[in-house]
Amino acid sequence: MVEVEEQQQQSQSTDAEAETGSEIVTEGSSVVHGDPPQDGSGPPRVDSEVEVLQEKVTKQIIKEGHGQKPSKYSTCFLHYRAWTESTTHKFEDTWQEQQPLELILGKEKKEMTGLAVGVASMKCGERSLLHVGWELGYGKQGNFSFPNVPPMADIIYEVELIGFDETKEGKARSDMTVEERIGAADRRKMDGNDLFKEDKLAEAMQQYEMAIAYMGDDFMFQLFGKYRDMALAVKNPCHLNMAASLIKLKRFDEAIMHCSIVLSEEENNVKALFRRGKARAELGQTDAAREDFQKARKFAPEDKAIAKELRLLAEHDKAVYQKQKELYKGLFGPRPEAQPNQSNWLVIIWHWLVSIFCHLFRRERHKID
């Protein structure tokens, strides 16, 4: 594999490898258990045992987690969807917004009290269904701004705890300095790389996602110059590692999204172009995939992995052409030979009989004359 020097002098290996700074780690054969949550119109159906956490909060586990549970003042990062129980109207979805929620246990907003009770009972990677009474949600008055929640509405949450920082101070991201946020994200990235080396792909992806959460859009918009470069040096490798993992899990649309985020910042990033091309090729988007591979080859002309993918696309196109050629040949077949028309023979015979009759008639008339 030929290494390509990027603007920040980082190795840009194009095959499905984890981004680890100066070290390249190839993917193992680990498997992430549990499908991504379904974005249905209503809450998922869960058959697991109901656990009563408080009088107004119950929990059913959808996917088991691992490790310890967060304690008071832990900074938790989570994704969730929320519905009003009576109407099953979905009023919030952080998965759709692609922005995890930061929740400090013990310092949460009043309307998040029931959600915090549920999160405190969860392990990293756990996904659960919570039923929260209105008293621990948006209360008697509800909420008429965003999100719109009617009065006295019981709430159903589908929650996944990505991970948490165990800190006694309970320091929110918004209270951190730029250096502190970038440092926290970098530690998460390095933890993810270590887990990836151990083939713990599920845990690694959680660490990468937490690192990305520190580098949210609200934060990145404020950065310029060296600080922005420092943040991108942490954030983009996490997106690329997520893409590599998602390709392996056959979650190609999500992989394309992560690669596109990197390319919005670095349009010539070879790894992002290559991995997006692979994901697009798997989805049958061959023209778009070829465009990505060709652009990647401009910046890495000797890269054998890129050449291989372009060759596979060419072979695929050739096979499709041959198949279509055979199909059309079978549909139309050889041109049929001209066959005499039966009605034409009848006309010929009729004219022959008429001519004979006329000839005989003239002959008899000649005799009479």
Side-chain angles (χ1 to χ4, degrees), residues 78-80 93-101 162 209 212-213 215-217 235 239 253-254 256-258 260-261:
L78 53 131
H79 273 304
Y80 72 95
D93 188 342
T94 64
W95 274 292
Q96 189 174 28
E97 296 164 3
Q98 299 178 8
Q99 183 63 48
L101 172 72
I162 300 169
E209 192 162 6
I212 292 169
M215 305 286 105
D217 290 340
K235 182 174 182 285
H239 283 297
D253 287 322
E254 295 171 77
I256 290 171
M257 181 269 292
H258 282 280
S260 296
I261 290 173

Side-chain angles (χ1 to χ4, degrees), residues 16-212:
E17 297 171 339
E19 185 90 22
T20 61
S22 61
E23 184 178 6
I24 299 298
V25 181
T26 57
E27 285 188 349
S29 57
S30 56
V31 176
V32 174
H33 297 283
D35 297 326
Q38 297 179 356
D39 188 11
S41 57
R45 295 182 180 180
V46 184
D47 297 326
S48 60
E49 182 180 354
V50 177
E51 180 182 357
V52 179
L53 304 178
Q54 278 193 16
E55 183 182 357
K56 298 296 181 181
V57 184
T58 63
K59 182 181 84 168
Q60 291 176 278
I61 295 177
I62 301 173
K63 183 186 73 172
E64 294 285 352
H66 55 85
Q68 302 296 316
K69 299 175 182 178
S71 59
K72 191 174 182 179
Y73 300 133
S74 293
T75 302
C76 301
F77 297 91
L78 53 131
H79 273 304
Y80 72 95
R81 294 191 178 96
W83 297 264
T84 54
E85 188 165 11
S86 59
T87 63
T88 65
H89 166 67
K90 184 172 71 173
F91 61 84
E92 205 158 10
D93 188 342
T94 64
W95 274 292
Q96 189 174 28
E97 296 164 3
Q98 299 178 8
Q99 183 63 48
L101 172 72
E102 178 189 50
L103 183 69
I104 300 177
L105 298 181
K107 293 188 176 182
E108 67 277 352
K109 296 178 181 178
K110 184 178 179 181
E111 62 267 21
M112 295 286 185
T113 303
L115 178 61
V117 170
V119 170
S121 73
M122 298 172 68
K123 299 178 180 180
C124 290
E126 179 180 325
R127 188 162 74 245
S128 293
L129 195 71
L130 304 177
H131 288 256
V132 176
W134 61 267
E135 297 89 343
L136 299 182
Y138 286 84
K140 190 174 183 179
Q141 301 299 322
N143 193 55
F144 293 95
S145 59
F146 179 83
N148 190 305
V149 183
M152 300 179 66
D154 295 335
I155 301 172
I156 300 175
Y157 290 102
E158 180 185 6
V159 187
E160 181 167 345
L161 178 59
I162 300 169
F164 59 89
D165 282 327
E166 195 70 81
T167 109
K168 294 181 180 179
E169 294 81 15
K171 197 170 186 179
R173 286 175 295 178
S174 57
D175 296 331
M176 292 181 177
T177 65
V178 171
E179 291 88 348
E180 285 176 332
R181 285 185 72 158
I182 294 175
D186 190 52
R187 287 192 295 274
R188 288 294 182 183
K189 186 195 77 171
M190 299 306 295
D191 289 344
N193 293 343
D194 291 338
L195 290 165
F196 199 95
K197 294 176 186 178
E198 299 173 10
D199 287 341
K200 296 178 179 178
L201 195 54
E203 293 92 329
M205 289 178 67
Q206 290 163 6
Q207 295 299 319
Y208 294 140
E209 192 162 6
M210 286 183 65
I212 292 169

